[in-house]
Amino acid sequence: AQIAVSDFIMGGMEHTTATTQTDRVLMDARAYPEFTADWLVSHELAHQWFCDLLTCKEWSHAWLNESFATYFEALFTEHDLGQDEFEYEMADKLRLYLDEDRKVYRRPIVTNMYRHPDDLFDRHLYEKGSLVLHMLRRDLGDNLFWKSIRRYVETFQGRAVETNDLIAAIQDATGRNMRKFFDQWVYGPGHPDYTVHYWWDDKKRRAHVRVSQKPVDGGKYFHVRMPIEFVTASGTKRFTETLDGKHHEYKYFFREEPLDFRFDPEHTYLKTAEISKPHRMWLKQLASDPHTVGRIDAARGVSKIKTEESVRALGQAFSREKFWGASREIALCLGGMEMDESRKFLLRSLNVRHPKVRRAVAEALGNFTDRETAKALKDLFNRDKSYFVAAESLQSLAAISPSDARDSVRKALKMESWNDTFRAAAVSTLSKHFSGETVRLAREYVRYGYQPSTRGAAVQVLSKGARAYPELFKDLYELTNDKQTRIKYAAITALGNTRDPRVAHLLDKISKDKKQPHRTRSLAEDALLKVKPSKD
């Protein structure tokens, strides 16, 4: 059973046999299929096994609940929508984890170092753990992986588990001792960070590959058996090399220089890799890589060289691409080039059939400030049947031409839509150009009575304008006692995001208020960490 609840602060909760979920995932016919709750439904359904039938013995092993449910989201996508969708979803999970690793902190997946159990429910626990399970699946192969999972569940159903139980179940089912794998990826922090250089020695007919790896956790290096692939006129040749130190260099003999070089061609490993190879190889990869993420990486590589040839290659790839996710990323690459040729191609692509791709084209056009682009975005906002394409068009239009956007923003503020998509988009544009009028509008639409999406957008506007309009600090503080929990939490987080010393005492007061729920105090503590201490 699934029960949709108003103002539910989480996406869902896996109560046994009956999932509680936010009512914000209930969609109308216009929002579907661009927006579905399949990811949430499959996540909570997986929890019926990995959390309810068996569950973690202590919070430090909570990945046995959340990483499994997160990976099973992707497994349902693979089953339901196919390999391209699965690969793109896993790439997005990698992006989310890496963003937290770079900007917030790095930790082992299994750790007993935390202030509150809630602190562990982060991108390491969800996304990184799911990527580790994917590597485990690739290492064992599908047959042994599912045999292991079945043994794990059957052995420990009705019991509390820890990571060693999973390791034991795998060994029992397959005969393989995976402890080193878990020591490296689960009990150890970080991931491999590679710099990869390819070059060709024409005299000796050799392809050279140099791989450098940055140390982690006090000088340790990841041990990875990495596949390296060359595309030649006579076919594909693959080698597997052990990367376990700071520097490795390999030489491969070919009669002619390879057409392309690919590092981890199946994109199996949780890693970052800065790859240096000739531009023509990126062009070749863009045109021929069978892997979705490979084509996306190639598009980014091609777009770094801002030439008409690159625009043509990206345009051709966009036109022949059959998967919307790769088309989306190619459109964003074209926008990021900020060339007139790429702008013209994007304008010609505004009628592309898939709404998620049209949305990316609208977003990409936000990099250009000419009148023709502004008019095209305004027309798209007025005519497109997709909530999300129209909203994205409004966002881009407001960014590049506030005067052209003014009437459209006013129109959107009065439009009713699913989850207040149009009104929320219009409110969020107010932070692009502050004035007394935009502050007045933000204060209007943050009021109780509007939908949480619109109110949340207004909270963000208030926080961005608070330094210029200090009276907004008081508005934000009052919102920390709002009737809607989501807005209350948004206001606390927004106060921290101002990074202004003037909010420190407000956040400190909330964090120490014993009458407040634990989650509220914890959010205030996290927000307080972002605030610079006053020089006074």
Side-chain angles (χ1 to χ4, degrees):
Q2 297 167 69
I3 306 157
V5 176
S6 177
D7 200 28
F8 190 61
I9 60 169
M10 301 177 184
M13 181 58 68
E14 61 276 10
H15 304 120
T16 306
T17 76
T19 293
T20 304
Q21 62 190 21
T22 171
D23 63 350
R24 290 174 57 77
V25 300
L26 302 177
M27 77 292 292
D28 63 14
R30 187 175 175 183
Y32 181 85
E34 280 182 88
F35 177 92
T36 81
D38 288 359
W39 66 273
L40 177 61
V41 175
S42 56
H43 181 103
E44 304 306 337
L45 179 59
H47 269 318
Q48 301 303 310
W49 286 269
F50 306 103
C51 188
D52 294 339
L53 184 60
L54 54 80
T55 195
C56 60
K57 188 175 294 184
E58 56 174 312
W59 291 120
S60 59
H61 295 273
W63 84 288
L64 297 172
N65 296 2
E66 296 302 342
S67 299
F68 272 75
T70 305
Y71 187 47
F72 274 63
E73 294 171 22
L75 291 174
F76 175 74
T77 298
E78 182 180 31
H79 164 78
D80 186 45
L81 300 176
Q83 192 67 23
D84 285 340
E85 293 270 5
F86 171 75
E87 291 166 355
Y88 193 53
E89 183 171 332
M90 293 307 295
D92 190 55
K93 294 182 191 306
L94 176 61
R95 178 188 62 81
L96 291 168
Y97 155 67
L98 290 175
D99 191 57
E100 180 174 86
D101 178 81
R102 282 192 296 262
K103 297 178 182 179
V104 186
Y105 55 70
R106 170 177 289 181
R107 69 171 181 85
I109 293 175
V110 172
T111 178
N112 57 11
M113 301 292 290
Y114 54 88
R115 294 175 303 159
H116 310 292
D118 283 0
D119 297 343
L120 293 174
F121 287 73
D122 57 9
R123 299 302 188 186
H124 286 68
L125 197 71
Y126 287 77
E127 284 78 13
K128 183 181 181 181
S130 73
L131 293 158
V132 170
L133 288 172
H134 183 55
M135 287 191 292
L136 180 66
R137 177 186 170 196
R138 288 287 184 257
D139 192 321
L140 294 173
D142 274 14
N143 288 338
L144 292 182
F145 174 79
W146 287 112
K147 184 179 180 182
S148 300
I149 297 301
R150 187 174 294 109
R151 184 68 56 85
Y152 171 59
V153 174
E154 288 177 347
T155 302
F156 296 103
Q157 59 183 314
R159 296 164 59 184
V161 291
E162 58 186 18
T163 303
N164 283 337
D165 296 322
L166 175 60
I167 297 172
I170 294 170
Q171 185 163 351
D172 189 37
T174 69
R176 292 187 58 182
N177 185 342
M178 300 299 293
R179 183 163 294 280
K180 287 185 178 180
F181 176 95
F182 282 82
D183 285 344
Q184 177 167 258
W185 296 106
V186 177
Y187 289 107
H191 54 270
D193 183 0
Y194 299 116
T195 302
V196 184
H197 292 278
Y198 162 92
W199 73 96
W200 172 252
D201 184 335
D202 193 56
K203 185 176 181 180
K204 296 183 178 180
R205 321 305 291 169
R206 287 179 179 173
H208 292 250
V209 177
R210 178 184 296 139
V211 183
S212 300
Q213 179 181 175
K214 293 181 181 177
V216 297
D217 194 24
K220 297 178 183 177
Y221 295 94
F222 278 82
H223 182 284
V224 172
R225 293 275 292 162
M226 182 65 70
I228 293 175
E229 187 173 272
F230 294 92
V231 179
T232 72
S234 59
T236 300
K237 297 185 183 296
R238 178 170 293 196
F239 304 87
T240 301
E241 307 291 359
T242 299
L243 305 179
D244 57 3
K246 186 175 183 180
H247 296 297
H248 296 276
E249 187 169 330
Y250 307 100
K251 302 173 185 178
Y252 308 93
F253 175 80
F254 294 98
R255 294 185 183 279
E256 295 178 335
E257 183 177 6
L259 301 173
D260 195 12
F261 154 73
R262 295 169 189 170
F263 184 78
D264 189 17
E266 269 83 41
H267 301 269
T268 295
Y269 287 100
L270 193 172
K271 67 182 188 307
T272 56
E274 182 180 341
I275 298 174
S276 174
K277 65 181 184 181
H279 186 62
R280 58 181 171 73
M281 285 191 166
W282 288 119
L283 292 170
K284 174 66 176 176
Q285 183 173 342
L286 178 64
S288 63
D289 197 321
H291 199 287
T292 296
V293 179
R295 298 193 299 278
I296 292 170
D297 286 348
R300 292 167 181 162
V302 169
S303 69
K304 290 179 181 179
I305 306 299
K306 297 184 179 182
T307 63
E308 291 185 17
E309 179 192 25
S310 295
V311 173
R312 281 196 302 273
L314 288 167
Q316 290 167 1
F318 181 90
S319 299
R320 67 173 172 264
E321 181 59 57
K322 296 181 179 179
F323 175 56
W324 71 266
S327 296
R328 175 185 184 275
E329 300 298 335
I330 293 169
L332 295 177
C333 286
L334 283 163
M337 295 177 77
E338 298 183 358
M339 294 177 61
D340 194 51
E341 293 82 1
S342 60
R343 179 188 68 85
K344 290 177 180 177
F345 180 86
L346 290 166
L347 287 173
R348 293 195 299 271
S349 304
L350 277 174
N351 292 319
V352 65
R353 185 174 181 179
H354 201 297
K356 291 183 180 180
V357 182
R358 288 202 308 280
R359 182 179 181 181
V361 173
E363 180 181 350
L365 285 169
N367 290 287
F368 305 93
T369 58
D370 60 287
R371 299 291 300 173
E372 183 184 16
T373 300
K375 182 180 183 304
L377 288 168
K378 189 172 185 177
D379 291 344
L380 189 64
F381 166 72
N382 287 319
R383 75 169 191 269
D384 206 279
K385 295 181 179 180
S386 161
Y387 288 130
F388 309 103
V389 175
E392 195 69 57
S393 302
L394 183 63
Q395 296 271 14
S396 289
L397 178 61
I400 67 176
S401 181
S403 59
D404 286 308
R406 193 171 296 116
D407 290 343
S408 297
V409 169
R410 289 182 182 137
K411 178 181 177 181
L413 287 172
K414 298 177 182 178
M415 294 170 68
E416 299 300 324
S417 56
W418 168 80
N419 270 355
D420 240 9
T421 301
F422 292 141
R423 191 173 287 121
V427 169
S428 68
T429 67
L430 300 177
S431 64
K432 298 183 186 298
H433 304 279
F434 275 103
S435 67
E437 175 65 7
T438 58
V439 169
R440 183 191 69 77
L441 287 170
R443 281 176 148 171
E444 163 67 19
Y445 288 101
V446 84
R447 289 190 301 108
Y448 184 80
Y450 290 103
Q451 289 198 34
S453 53
T454 293
R455 299 189 70 209
V459 168
Q460 297 307 313
V461 175
L462 295 177
S463 68
K464 291 176 181 177
R467 284 184 179 272
Y469 298 86
E471 64 271 21
L472 299 183
F473 285 119
K474 182 180 178 182
D475 291 25
L476 288 169
Y477 183 64
E478 289 177 354
L479 287 166
T480 64
N481 292 306
D482 195 79
K483 297 177 183 178
Q484 289 182 310
T485 309
R486 282 188 176 276
I487 301 306
K488 177 179 180 177
Y489 288 173
I492 292 171
T493 301
L495 282 170
N497 289 339
T498 67
R499 301 184 184 276
D500 193 297
R502 286 172 286 188
V503 306
H505 73 286
L506 302 177
L507 292 171
D508 185 60
K509 182 178 179 181
I510 297 170
S511 71
K512 294 177 179 176
D513 185 354
K514 300 299 183 182
K515 295 180 180 179
Q516 295 283 2
H518 161 71
R519 186 173 177 84
T520 302
R521 287 184 280 120
S522 180
L523 277 173
E525 289 176 9
D526 290 341
L528 191 57
L529 293 174
K530 300 178 184 178
V531 177
K532 295 179 180 179
S534 173
K535 293 181 179 179
D536 297 336

